[in-house]
């Protein structure tokens, strides 16, 4: 995407402070001393006030509200395929962050024709609180969809209603020793959010996270594999993350899985049932239901109904 990630100030020597406070205030003091040195104390007071305002204005704010919907403006739309796009929404200020814990999601609401009340759907951003000033959503538009079809009609400058955070999954470093993940289509988004957080927290990056990750990512055609370049890059750079692709309609010389995700694939590629592992599942409802039955047949704990909890061995988004 054209827009670049905005980095939040990390120290008193961050570029935002150097260029936004120190240099302007220094020029103010030097200029005042040249014109009339007796005015220097007053210039210093003005400089302190301006500096304090700048620091206050650049502080990091979490903007999500779990109780009320807020409007966010579409800043940029990047077409990924004929029915998939990345939507970048602006936050009120460049230093703002969404305020979304890793593993949780947001609700989007819209008034649609034929519905008396707002239609609400849940989505997981592919950006994180490491990004300031915006958040990104990867959405696939379905012909029979409600919000997804509505989002496809959005134009830059229009707004959507967002509320959150919500969800039972809140990831913390080393929550388990091993994650097994099964994703289908846009169900990759919560997985990617957690994968990126784990890799950011590796000891090689100054963190403590040693979690092992195996991901089965199922799609119909090879062109349906969303963010494949990102996933392959993460797998190439991190020995603790492995991705396994499965296609219904594979191309010639395809070396990945073929057909639907089976019990044998899960048994071969994902961690066996145990006290320090967790399976995460996200995808179309028929796939999720099939994966629940498959994992139960392999000895994993049966996912409780209707909603998963953080302590569950098999967690369905």
């Amino acid at each position: 995407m054209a827009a670049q990630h905005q980095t939040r100030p990390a120290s008193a020597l961050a570029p935002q402070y150097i260029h936004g406070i120190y240099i302007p205030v220094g020029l103010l003091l030097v200029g005042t001393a040249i014109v009339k040195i007796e005015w220097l104390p007053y210039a210093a007071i003005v400089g302190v006030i301006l500096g304090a305002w700048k620091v206050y204005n650049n502080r990091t704010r979490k903007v999500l509200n779990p109780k009320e919907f807020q409007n966010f403006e579409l800043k940029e739309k990047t077409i990924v395929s004929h029915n998939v796009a990345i939507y970048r929404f602006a936050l009120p200020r460049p230093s703002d962050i969404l305020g979304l814990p890793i593993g949780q999601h947001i609700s989007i609401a819209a008034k649609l024709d034929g519905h008396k009340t707002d239609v609400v759907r849940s989505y997981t951003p592919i950006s994180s609180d490491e990004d300031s000033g915006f958040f990104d959503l990867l959405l696939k538009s379905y012909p029979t969809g409600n919000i997804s079809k509505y989002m496809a009609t959005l134009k830059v400058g229009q707004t959507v209603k967002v509320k959150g955070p919500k969800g039972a999954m809140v990831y913390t470093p080393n929550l388990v020793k091993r994650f097994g993940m099964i994703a289908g289509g846009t169900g990759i988004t919560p997985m990617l959010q957690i994968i990126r957080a784990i890799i950011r927290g590796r000891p090689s990056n100054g963190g403590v996270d040693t979690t092992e990750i195996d991901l089965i990512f199922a799609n119909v055609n090879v062109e349906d594999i969303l963010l494949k370049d990102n996933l392959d890059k993460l797998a190439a750079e991190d020995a603790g993350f492995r991705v396994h692709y499965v296609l219904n309609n594979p191309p010639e010389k395809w070396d990945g899985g073929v057909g639907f995700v089976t019990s044998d694939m899960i048994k071969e590629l994902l961690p066996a049932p145990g006290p320090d592992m967790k399976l995460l599942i996200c995808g179309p409802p028929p796939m999720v239901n099939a994966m629940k039955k498959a994992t139960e047949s392999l000895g994993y704990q049966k996912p409780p109904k209707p909603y998963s909890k953080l302590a569950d061995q098999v967690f369905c988004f």
Side-chain angles (χ1 to χ4, degrees):
M1 298 185 71
Q4 297 297 310
H5 288 199
Q6 307 228 6
T7 304
R8 300 194 299 271
S11 73
L13 295 179
Q16 290 90 332
Y17 294 146
I18 293 174
H19 299 290
I21 299 176
Y22 306 147
I23 292 176
V25 171
L27 292 173
L28 172 65
L29 296 176
V30 171
T32 302
I34 293 173
V35 174
K36 194 167 185 178
I37 197 166
E38 289 84 357
W39 292 351
L40 196 56
Y42 303 104
I45 293 172
V46 172
V48 169
I49 293 172
L50 291 175
W53 176 83
K54 186 74 173 180
V55 170
Y56 177 80
N57 198 48
N58 278 342
R59 77 194 191 285
T60 299
R61 298 186 311 172
K62 297 179 180 180
V63 300
L64 274 180
N65 186 331
K67 297 181 180 180
E68 295 181 5
F69 281 99
Q70 302 176 82
N71 287 312
F72 294 96
E73 181 182 330
L74 181 62
K75 178 181 179 181
E76 188 176 342
K77 182 177 177 180
T78 300
I79 303 300
V80 177
S81 69
H82 71 284
N83 61 352
V84 178
I86 296 174
Y87 301 81
R88 173 162 291 186
F89 293 93
L91 300 180
R93 300 191 316 197
S95 58
D96 287 342
I97 61 172
L98 194 57
L100 187 70
I102 298 299
Q104 296 208 307
H105 49 270
I106 59 176
S107 294
I108 291 182
K111 181 66 176 175
L112 304 179
D113 293 340
H115 297 267
K116 294 182 178 179
T117 60
D118 283 355
V119 176
V120 180
R121 294 291 184 271
S122 296
Y123 296 98
T124 303
I126 58 172
S127 55
S128 73
D129 284 350
E130 296 296 307
D131 305 306
S132 57
F134 67 90
F135 68 93
D136 290 339
L137 293 176
L138 174 72
L139 301 181
K140 184 173 185 177
S141 177
Y142 296 92
T144 58
N146 286 314
I147 294 293
S148 68
K149 190 163 60 173
Y150 162 77
M151 294 288 285
T153 67
L154 279 182
K155 294 179 173 55
V156 171
Q158 293 182 303
T159 62
V160 296
K161 294 192 290 186
V162 176
K163 183 171 72 172
K166 59 184 295 187
M169 170 59 70
V170 179
Y171 180 74
T172 53
N174 297 313
L175 180 66
V176 291
K177 285 186 178 178
R178 290 194 67 186
F179 268 127
M181 299 178 174
I182 306 173
T186 54
I188 191 62
T189 56
M191 309 302 184
L192 183 60
Q193 185 193 53
I194 293 173
I195 292 165
R196 284 173 169 167
I198 290 172
I199 293 176
R200 276 198 309 270
R202 292 294 195 208
S204 58
N205 295 325
V208 296
D209 207 324
T210 58
T211 307
E212 295 280 320
I213 319 160
D214 282 283
L215 165 68
I216 296 177
F217 190 15
N219 290 276
V220 177
N221 303 303
V222 68
E223 58 268 22
D224 297 324
I225 304 176
L226 302 173
L227 302 172
K228 187 176 186 299
D229 289 345
N230 297 66
L231 291 167
D232 289 343
K233 184 173 186 292
L234 290 170
E237 295 174 350
D238 189 278
F241 169 52
R242 294 161 291 274
V243 57
H244 315 277
Y245 299 107
V246 178
L247 293 179
N248 282 26
N249 302 318
E252 292 184 10
K253 299 181 180 179
W254 172 253
D255 59 358
V258 177
F260 295 105
V261 178
T262 65
S263 298
D264 288 340
M265 290 180 189
I266 296 171
K267 186 175 181 180
E268 176 188 355
L269 301 173
L270 302 187
D276 207 359
M277 56 70 59
K278 193 180 292 289
L279 290 188
L280 306 180
I281 301 173
C282 190
M287 176 188 175
V288 172
N289 290 332
M291 293 303 95
K292 287 180 179 179
K293 294 176 182 178
T295 55
E296 187 179 357
S297 72
L298 291 171
Y300 295 94
Q301 294 174 8
K302 183 177 180 179
K305 296 179 180 180
Y307 303 112
S308 293
K309 299 179 179 63
L310 182 60
D312 295 340
Q313 187 180 71
V314 178
F315 186 98
C316 300
F317 287 94

